[in-house]
Amino acid sequence: MACGLALTLLAAVQARETAPKPAYKDASRPIEERVEDLLARMTLEEKVLQLNQYTLGRNDNVNNMADPVGDIPSEIGSLIYFGTSPELRNSLQHRAVEESRLGIPILFAFDVIHGFRTVYPIPLAQACSWNPALVEQAARMAARETRMTGIEWTFSPMIDVARDGRWGRISEGYGEDPYAHAVFCASTVAGYQGDDLSDTGRIAACLKHFAGYGASEAGRDYVYTEISRQSLWDTYLTPYEAGIRAGAATVMSCFNNISGTPGSADHYLLTEVLKERWGHQGFVVSDWGAIQQLRAQGVAADCEQAALKAFNAGLDMDMMNRCYDAHLADLVRAGKVSGERLDDAVRRVLRLKFRLGLFENPYTPESREEERFLRPESLRIAEELAGETMVLLKNDGGILPLREVRKIAVIGPMAKSRFHLLGAWAAHGNGEDVESIFMGLEREFGERAQLSYAVGCEFDGDDASGFAEAVRVASESDVVVLCLGEKANWSGENASRSTLSLPAIQERLACEVARCGKPVVLLLTSGRPLELCRLEPLSDAILQVWQPGVRGGYPAAGILSGRINPSGRLSVTFPYATGQVPIYYGRRPSARPHQGKYQDIPSEPLYEFGHGLSYTTFEYGDLQAPSTTLRRGEKLRVEIQVSNTGACDGAETVFWFVSDPVCRIARPAKELRHFEKRMLRSGQSGLFVFEIDPERDLSFVDGEGNRFLEPGDYYVQVKDKRLKLTLVE
Ligand code: NOJ
C-alpha cells in the first residue's frame, strides 16, 4: 500500500517536471505574452484578489489605520509592508509563490517619500536645490535601501502643485510651480526606476495624488477642491503628464472631490486622460480608504456602489478599502462590471510584477541592516543635497559668514533636536541617525569658537521660564544662532495649520534674545513656507534650513562658517502674512494692477519664488538671440552671460520665464520654462542658454487639454532682463 502511494507521488513529481512550463513562467517570452497566458488561467476570484492591497507588519501611520487583515490570502495582489527586514516579507512571499494555485508573487509597497532609513531633505526643500541630477541620485539611493528590504514599489513622488502653505502636504511636493514639479518628478522617477525595474536596486514609482489634491480648500486635508478644467490642465496635470512620459509605473488617485466628482470616481481623469489620452500602461491604486470614502463624499450609498463607481471610473487597485474584495466578483457576475474592464485592470497589475522580475526572483536576499542602510555614499548625498536646499533669505550687512566670532550662543528648541529635522513621512528614519544643528556647529567650528546653549522654550505652549537663561547666554556671546521651527508632524498628511507663523512662544523668545543687542542669525526648520513678518525685523540673517533629513546639521553650520556658499533658491513663495495665501508668482494679471491691494498689510510677498542670497555677487548681461522672430518648428537659441563678480566661488541658478501678453486664454504673468544651475568661480563668467522650441516652450493648453500656439509677441525673461520675440506663421 505504502509502496503504491510512493510510486503515485513519484509519478506526479515526474509528470510535473516533464510537463511543459506554462508560458507565464518562461522568462524568455515577452512580458505581454506571459501576462495573457497567466490571465487566461485565472479564476474570477483570483483576478479580484490581484486588485487588492492589504498591510503587513506594525503600522505606525496614525492617519491610515485599519484593522489588519488577519488571514492574508496567498493570492493577494499587494501588501503595504511596514517592516524593515526581508524575513517577514519573504515568508509571505513564500506562501504566495508556493501555496497559491498559480504562484503569483505579491507586490510589496511602502511610502518612501524622501528616503527609507537614510532620510533626505523633504521634497519641498529638494526643489530649492534646483539640482535635478542630485535629486535623482538621492532617489536612486532610497530605491536601493527599499528594494534590499524587500519592497518593490513606493508611493512617490507626490507631484501636487500647492500654493497654500496651510496644507501640511505642501512639504511632500516640489512647491508652487507646475514646471518645477514636472522636472523634479522626472528626475525622481528616473532615480527610482532606472531603465530596468528588474534591477534589484530599483523600485516602481507611483505618481500621486491624481489630481488636484494641492488645491484643498483653505489648506484643509481631504476636503473639496474647486478646480476649473482650465487650471486642471494648465496647472495640476502638467507634472502628471511629465511623470507618465518619464515612464512612472503607477498612479495613485486622490482623496479630494474635484468640482463635484471625487478623484477616485473620476472617469475623465482616470480613464479618458490617463489611460486613453496619455497611454498609461500601469495601474491606478486608490488612496487609503478612498473608495469607501466615496460614501462620505456623497456619491455612493454603500461600499458596493463605491466599488462599482471607482472600478468603472478606472481605479484598478483597492488600498485598504475592503470594497473590491467584498464586491467586485459579484459586480462582474451581475454584469455591472465588464469582463474586459476586469481583465484590463488585472493585466496592468501583472505587467508590473513581470517587469519587476518577481516571477524569477520573488525573494529578497536577507542581509544585515549595515549592508543596506546609512551607507557612506547615501550619507554623502544626503549631506550634499541638504547643503544645496538651504536658502539664505536675509543677510544684512554681510553678517554671514561668521568669520571672526569667538563665542556663539546657540538658542532655541530646534538647536539640539534630531528627530524633528527628519520632517514628515520619514519612513524608517530614526532620530538617532540625525546630526542636529548643534552637533553640526560643533563639528564645523571645533576649537575656533566656543559654543554655549540654551533651549529658551519648547516648540509651543506658553512656558517662558527658559527665557532668562537664553538671554544670559545671548548676552555673553558675539553672535546668536537662534534655531526655531516646526515639529516634524506639523506638516505631512492631516497636518493643516491655520497660520504660517511659528507659535507665539517662539516669536517671544526671538524678541527677548534680540533685545540683547547681539547679531541674530535665525535658522528656520519647517515643512512649509512661514510667515516671517515679525521675525524678520528681529534677525540680521535668516537661513531657511527646511527639514533636511539625517545630515542637515553640518551643511547648515558650513553655510554659517562660509565653508559652503549657499545656493538654494525658493521653490515656493514666502508670504508677508498668512492672509495673503494663496500667493504665488504665476498669477494671472489683474484688471487693475495698481489697485486691489490689501489695506492693512503689504500686498507683496516677503520672499518671492526663486529668492535666495549668495556670498558672492552675480552680474547678468543682456539677453541675446540671433533673431527676435521665430517660426513653428524652428528653435531659437537665447543666451545670457552671467559673471561671478564677488570674492568667492558660488553656484547660480538662472530661471527662464516666458510670458504671452495677449492670448485667447489669459495666461500667468510669467511661467517658468527652463532653469539651469551652475558653479561659477570667483571672476568667472558663464553663458547660460535656453533653446526655445516654440511648440514646447511658448505654447499653452486649453481646458480640454489641447495644446495650442498662437502667432504674436512673447517675452522671455531672466531676472529683470526681457527680450521680446515674435512668432510668425
Ligand atoms: C494616505 C496618503 O494620502 C498617501 O499619500 C499614502 O501613500 C497612503 N496613505 C499610504 O500610506
Side-chain angles (χ1 to χ4, degrees):
M1 178 74 178
C3 181
L5 182 61
L7 283 176
T8 317
L9 280 176
L10 187 64
V13 169
Q14 277 169 348
R16 214 168 74 186
E17 276 168 6
T18 50
K21 211 197 241 177
Y24 76 93
K25 290 199 169 163
D26 181 352
S28 69
R29 291 177 189 259
I31 286 181
E32 291 307 312
E33 202 182 300
R34 298 175 74 187
V35 168
E36 292 310 319
D37 179 69
L38 179 52
L39 195 61
R41 296 167 191 270
M42 293 169 77
T43 64
L44 175 58
E45 286 70 22
E46 284 166 339
K47 289 179 183 176
V48 168
L49 274 169
Q50 283 300 309
L51 304 179
N52 283 276
Q53 182 177 59
Y54 300 161
T55 64
L56 177 67
R58 199 186 114 175
N59 177 8
D60 290 328
N61 181 345
V62 288
N63 298 310
N64 297 289
M65 286 290 184
D67 290 339
V69 182
D71 189 15
I72 298 173
S74 318
E75 294 81 7
I76 191 73
S78 176
L79 290 172
I80 302 182
Y81 183 46
F82 295 104
T84 55
S85 76
E87 284 85 354
L88 174 62
R89 176 259 185 218
N90 280 346
S91 66
L92 255 287
Q93 190 70 298
H94 188 267
R95 276 181 43 198
V97 171
E98 301 301 328
E99 293 172 25
S100 73
R101 191 176 69 90
L102 294 165
I104 304 175
I106 297 169
L107 174 60
F108 291 87
F110 191 56
D111 284 290
V112 181
I113 309 299
H114 49 116
F116 188 81
R117 172 73 181 265
T118 305
V119 178
Y120 299 88
I122 54 169
L124 181 62
Q126 291 187 20
C128 295
S129 73
W130 298 100
N131 189 341
L134 192 54
V135 166
E136 179 176 335
Q137 285 184 46
R140 165 123 189 55
M141 300 315 285
R144 186 180 174 279
E145 287 191 1
T146 307
R147 187 82 187 242
M148 285 183 78
T149 300
I151 292 158
E152 303 90 29
W153 178 29
T154 177
F155 304 127
S156 163
M158 187 194 98
I159 47 171
D160 294 319
V161 172
R163 292 163 171 184
D164 186 338
R166 292 172 298 177
W167 189 54
R169 305 201 77 168
I170 196 170
S171 69
E172 297 172 46
Y174 301 104
E176 70 185 42
D177 183 65
Y179 176 76
H181 264 93
V183 172
F184 287 106
C185 169
S187 59
T188 305
V189 169
Y192 288 149
Q193 298 193 167
D195 46 25
D196 177 8
L197 281 174
S198 70
D199 178 335
T200 52
R202 301 291 187 170
I203 53 177
C206 181
L207 309 179
K208 73 185 190 185
H209 310 78
F210 192 57
Y213 190 21
S216 287
E217 271 191 347
R220 302 269 309 276
D221 219 344
Y222 314 118
V223 298
Y224 182 71
T225 57
E226 182 54 60
I227 311 176
S228 68
R229 280 280 164 100
Q230 179 58 43
S231 51
L232 189 67
W233 275 101
D234 68 40
T235 302
Y236 296 102
L237 293 187
T238 305
Y240 285 94
E241 195 169 0
I244 295 301
R245 233 181 290 125
T250 67
V251 172
M252 184 187 294
S253 66
C254 60
F255 284 127
N256 49 295
N257 179 325
I258 309 160
S259 302
T261 306
S264 311
D266 193 331
H267 187 268
Y268 175 71
L269 276 181
L270 302 181
T271 298
E272 291 164 55
V273 174
L274 180 66
K275 293 177 181 171
E276 293 173 1
R277 194 159 178 164
W278 293 344
H280 176 53
Q281 296 292 307
F283 63 89
V284 183
V285 63
S286 78
D287 203 339
W288 183 292
I291 300 175
Q292 44 163 305
Q293 288 162 21
L294 293 175
R295 295 176 302 164
Q297 288 175 306
V299 297
D302 51 32
C303 278
E304 182 179 337
Q305 212 178 63
L308 178 65
K309 284 213 162 182
F311 196 69
N312 278 348
L315 208 167
D316 304 302
M317 184 181 280
D318 168 325
M319 179 196 289
M320 285 306 281
N321 292 277
R322 310 303 310 270
C323 288
Y324 285 4
D325 54 1
H327 302 291
L328 206 50
D330 286 342
L331 288 168
V332 173
R333 281 187 209 102
K336 293 183 180 169
V337 164
S338 71
E340 292 77 53
R341 168 71 192 109
L342 180 74
D343 283 356
D344 176 64
V346 179
R347 204 175 265 129
R348 289 167 185 273
V349 173
L350 297 178
R351 185 177 289 137
L352 181 59
K353 294 186 176 188
F354 282 113
R355 287 182 66 201
L356 284 160
L358 287 176
F359 285 82
E360 286 67 61
N361 295 305
Y363 305 113
T364 303
E366 291 174 10
S367 55
R368 285 176 296 120
E369 292 208 344
E370 310 81 85
E371 295 171 57
R372 282 179 273 148
F373 301 152
L374 303 162
R375 306 284 302 161
E377 179 65 353
S378 310
L379 293 173
R380 185 191 66 71
I381 291 168
E383 185 172 310
E384 192 181 336
L385 184 53
E388 291 206 25
T389 62
M390 295 178 193
V391 184
L392 183 61
L393 296 175
K394 175 177 180 179
N395 192 18
D396 268 10
I399 172 92
L400 292 179
L402 302 173
R403 294 223 189 270
E404 296 304 324
V405 293
R406 292 271 164 272
K407 292 183 184 167
I408 304 176
V410 188
I411 295 174
M414 196 56 88
K416 287 199 173 178
S417 166
R418 300 169 79 180
F419 176 76
H420 294 298
L421 296 190
L422 292 173
W425 289 111
H428 293 290
N430 183 337
E432 284 170 17
D433 302 335
V434 178
E435 183 180 51
S436 70
I437 292 169
F438 192 85
M439 290 156 80
L441 288 166
E442 280 183 317
R443 174 141 77 109
E444 183 72 37
F445 286 93
E447 301 295 299
R448 280 188 289 155
Q450 184 194 325
L451 303 185
S452 52
Y453 165 75
V455 65
C457 65
E458 294 305 319
F459 287 95
D460 51 6
D462 53 12
D463 181 0
S465 61
F467 283 12
E469 174 65 359
V471 166
R472 188 190 67 73
V473 166
S475 309
E476 290 170 2
S477 69
D478 300 328
V479 65
V480 177
V481 174
L482 183 60
C483 305
L484 305 181
E486 297 190 309
K487 287 183 172 180
N489 66 357
W490 291 2
S491 53
E493 187 180 349
N494 193 19
S496 305
R497 291 181 81 80
S498 69
T499 173
L500 305 187
S501 32
L502 290 177
I505 190 77
Q506 295 196 47
E507 293 196 350
R508 282 175 54 206
L509 174 66
C511 284
E512 294 294 318
V513 165
R515 231 179 265 145
C516 301
K518 303 294 168 128
V520 174
V521 177
L522 178 61
L523 261 56
L524 290 169
T525 304
S526 68
R528 55 166 55 78
L530 294 170
E531 170 180 314
L532 298 177
C533 54
R534 288 169 303 284
L535 285 170
E536 188 270 342
L538 301 173
S539 320
D540 297 279
I542 306 178
L543 180 67
Q544 177 67 25
V545 172
W546 300 110
Q547 287 155 332
V550 286
R551 283 294 176 273
Y554 191 47
I559 290 176
L560 298 198
S561 76
R563 177 174 53 83
I564 298 174
N565 186 354
S567 65
R569 305 286 184 263
L570 292 180
S571 60
V572 67
T573 302
F574 273 49
Y576 175 85
T578 309
Q580 294 178 327
V581 166
I583 185 166
Y584 51 97
Y585 85 88
R587 275 162 292 159
R588 289 187 157 84
S590 156
R592 294 187 177 186
H594 303 297
Q595 290 181 276
K597 310 281 184 191
Y598 292 110
Q599 290 185 336
D600 53 339
I601 56 168
S603 295
E604 297 310 314
L606 190 56
Y607 299 116
E608 27 179 68
F609 176 87
H611 173 75
L613 304 174
S614 166
Y615 294 150
T616 190
T617 44
F618 296 102
E619 269 176 29
Y620 283 62
D622 287 323
L623 289 161
Q624 310 275 357
S627 160
T628 53
T629 306
L630 306 99
R631 285 193 173 68
R632 284 167 202 276
E634 285 178 14
K635 292 189 179 151
L636 181 73
R637 186 182 156 96
V638 185
E639 303 174 344
I640 194 163
Q641 169 124 331
V642 180
S643 308
N644 180 345
T645 51
C648 62
D649 302 348
E652 176 67 330
T653 300
V654 173
F655 295 99
W656 296 84
F657 296 94
V658 300
S659 56
D660 180 357
V662 182
C663 178
R664 69 182 153 91
I665 297 167
R667 292 173 60 166
K670 55 181 195 169
E671 298 161 55
L672 183 69
R673 288 295 167 103
H674 180 55
F675 62 85
E676 186 186 354
K677 181 178 193 175
R678 215 189 297 162
M679 174 60 80
L680 293 174
R681 288 191 309 282
S682 169
Q684 190 189 5
S685 296
L687 202 59
F688 287 72
V689 176
F690 178 21
E691 189 166 63
I692 298 179
D693 172 347
E695 262 87 4
R696 184 192 62 195
D697 302 316
L698 302 180
S699 65
F700 202 56
V701 66
D702 68 15
E704 302 301 316
N706 300 314
R707 208 147 259 289
F708 65 93
L709 180 64
E710 288 182 350
D713 293 339
Y714 293 84
Y715 289 92
V716 54
Q717 189 177 333
V718 172
K719 288 215 179 245
D720 57 347
K721 314 280 180 180
R722 275 176 23 128
L723 181 69
K724 185 168 160 184
L725 302 174
T726 306
L727 182 82
V728 294
E729 280 295 5

